[in-house]
């Protein structure tokens, strides 16, 4: 069976999404604890393979994780989801930066083994949903991070000519407003990664659920979340230094231009005074 995750937007309207999906025949699963906030869990009528019910996790942060769901059903859900997205991502990027893991039902404790999820077949429905939630939470972080990695790579590509131009002593074709806009893009991306997401800390939900925390942490380790965040922050720091250098360079150019304007104005005034004295 397959577990597939997509990040499609910055955020979802979960309330209206729940109503819309219910109108299309999907059933909301309400077995999650109250402290698992900002999550919507929906069940599908026909799963892709026998042995486990099809389940979909929607995270308010803009990611959806499908467990044992048919491709046709997945496509339909994604179409319904489009109406409830805030700041949607490019469709090609969404499908390119997805995550997919195989999973099976087996005896013994649930775990992630060699890239395959093994779920305890003896769990009741509520406990199985909780364990799927822990795996889904890590997958959600991975696909969101993948989207931001793509955004950062695109940003790096847009400024890669600047160091070479500075090295060659050429004029950099960027205005002060454009440089400030690029600095704003970097600060926004840095804020998303380090302040408005769970990349750097384990969510509070897992503090008193040690078995779920282990599943979440192991999946994050397998998906290299911590290493990828570290690499992104190093890239962001380098980009910040470069844009700050550009801002300082443009500020100095503006100050020099003002100084020359003052010198020229003083020179003109002196010439007028000299002309008045002699003529």
């Amino acid at each position: 069976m397959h577990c597939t995750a997509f990040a499609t937007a910055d955020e979802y309207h979960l309330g209206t999404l729940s109503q819309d999906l219910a109108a299309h025949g999907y059933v909301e699963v309400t077995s999650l604890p109250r402290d698992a906030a900002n999550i919507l869990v929906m069940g599908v009528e026909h799963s892709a393979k026998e042995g486990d019910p099809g389940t979909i996790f929607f995270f308010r942060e803009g990611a959806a994780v499908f467990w044992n769901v048919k491709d046709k059903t997945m496509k339909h859900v994604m179409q319904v989801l489009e109406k409830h997205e805030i700041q949607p991502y490019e469709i090609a990027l969404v499908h390119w930066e997805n995550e997919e893991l195989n999973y099976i039902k087996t005896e013994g404790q649930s775990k992630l083994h060699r890239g395959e999820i093994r779920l305890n077949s003896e769990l009741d429905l509520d406990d199985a949903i909780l364990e799927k939630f822990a795996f889904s939470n890590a997958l959600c972080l991975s696909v969101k991070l993948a989207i931001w990695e793509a955004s950062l790579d695109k940003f790096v590509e847009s400024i890669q000519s600047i160091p070479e131009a500075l090295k060659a002593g050429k004029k950099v074709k960027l205005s002060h407003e454009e440089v400030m806009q690029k600095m704003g893009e970097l600060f926004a991306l840095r804020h998303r990664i380090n302040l408005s997401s769970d990349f750097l800390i384990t969510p509070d939900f897992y503090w008193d659920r040690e078995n779920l925390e282990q599943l979440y942490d192991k999946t994050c380790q397998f998906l290299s979340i911590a290493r990828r965040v570290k690499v992104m922050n190093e890239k962001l720091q380098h980009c910040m230094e470069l844009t700050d250098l550009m801002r300082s360079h443009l500020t100095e150019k503006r100050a020099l231009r003002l100084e020359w304007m003052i010198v020229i104005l003083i020179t003109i005034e002196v010439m007028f005074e000299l002309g008045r004295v002699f003529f």
Side-chain angles (χ1 to χ4, degrees):
M1 293 176 283
H2 298 294
C3 170
T4 310
F6 298 95
T8 67
D10 280 350
E11 194 174 333
Y12 295 150
H13 289 294
L14 293 184
T16 56
L17 174 61
S18 174
Q19 296 173 3
D20 202 356
L21 289 172
H24 284 86
Y26 300 95
V27 180
E28 184 174 356
V29 179
T30 57
S31 57
L32 280 177
R34 288 185 177 182
D35 55 344
N38 301 326
I39 308 294
L40 173 64
V41 187
M42 303 295 291
V44 301
E45 186 176 356
H46 301 291
S47 55
K49 295 182 179 180
E50 294 183 1
D52 194 47
T55 312
I56 312 170
F57 291 81
F58 297 95
F59 292 82
R60 188 180 297 277
E61 293 84 358
V65 185
F66 299 82
W67 291 77
N68 198 25
V69 177
K70 294 179 180 179
D71 290 341
K72 183 179 179 181
T73 305
M74 196 183 303
K75 184 178 180 181
H76 176 254
V77 171
M78 296 284 272
Q79 289 174 344
V80 175
L81 187 59
E82 288 178 359
K83 296 182 289 184
H84 307 277
E85 296 174 341
I86 301 173
Q87 298 294 323
Y89 304 140
E90 295 178 14
I91 295 177
L93 186 62
V94 168
H95 289 278
W96 180 259
E97 300 294 350
N98 71 334
E99 289 280 3
E100 184 172 303
L101 294 177
N102 295 330
Y103 80 97
I104 59 173
K105 286 292 201 70
T106 184
E107 295 181 356
Q109 190 173 1
S110 298
K111 60 183 177 180
L112 181 66
H113 181 71
R114 295 183 178 179
E116 182 181 64
I117 297 173
R118 298 187 175 184
L119 290 176
N120 187 349
S121 58
E122 299 175 356
L123 292 175
D124 59 26
L125 179 61
D126 291 352
D127 290 335
I129 288 291
L130 281 175
E131 292 197 344
K132 286 181 178 180
F133 167 74
F135 288 115
S136 300
N137 202 348
L139 286 166
C140 166
L141 292 183
S142 182
V143 289
K144 288 292 288 185
L145 187 57
I147 294 292
W148 293 339
E149 286 170 334
S151 298
L152 181 56
D153 290 342
K154 186 177 180 181
F155 180 88
V156 170
E157 185 178 351
S158 72
I159 63 170
Q160 65 181 1
S161 62
I162 295 176
E164 291 300 323
L166 292 173
K167 180 181 176 181
K170 297 179 181 178
K171 183 179 179 181
V172 179
K173 298 178 181 179
L174 280 177
S175 67
H176 187 268
E177 289 74 17
E178 289 172 329
V179 171
M180 293 303 294
Q181 182 182 7
K182 290 192 174 296
M183 291 185 72
E185 291 177 23
L186 286 176
F187 274 116
L189 190 54
R190 204 169 190 176
H191 175 82
R192 289 173 185 167
I193 296 170
N194 296 292
L195 296 179
S196 64
S197 66
D198 293 326
F199 289 127
L200 302 182
I201 59 171
T202 301
D204 296 347
F205 176 80
Y206 300 106
W207 284 6
D208 56 350
R209 298 177 174 91
E210 187 176 349
N211 62 319
L212 297 180
E213 183 178 1
Q214 289 178 355
L215 298 178
Y216 171 80
D217 287 341
K218 289 291 185 182
T219 311
C220 285
Q221 290 175 18
F222 174 75
L223 297 169
S224 304
I225 299 294
R227 182 183 62 81
R228 290 162 64 191
V229 170
K230 182 181 178 182
V231 170
M232 275 202 74
N233 275 319
E234 289 175 353
K235 286 185 176 181
L236 283 167
Q237 182 62 35
H238 174 73
C239 291
M240 287 297 298
E241 291 174 358
L242 181 58
T243 52
D244 192 50
L245 174 64
M246 284 300 305
R247 183 176 61 85
S248 300
H249 174 67
L250 290 173
T251 301
E252 289 175 2
K253 283 181 64 177
R254 178 179 289 183
L256 183 61
R257 192 181 303 118
L258 288 173
E259 288 176 4
W260 273 109
M261 288 176 63
I262 292 170
V263 168
I264 292 171
L265 289 172
I266 292 173
T267 303
I268 292 173
E269 185 178 357
V270 169
M271 290 176 65
F272 272 111
E273 285 295 322
L274 289 174
R276 187 175 64 81
V277 169
F278 289 106
F279 301 103

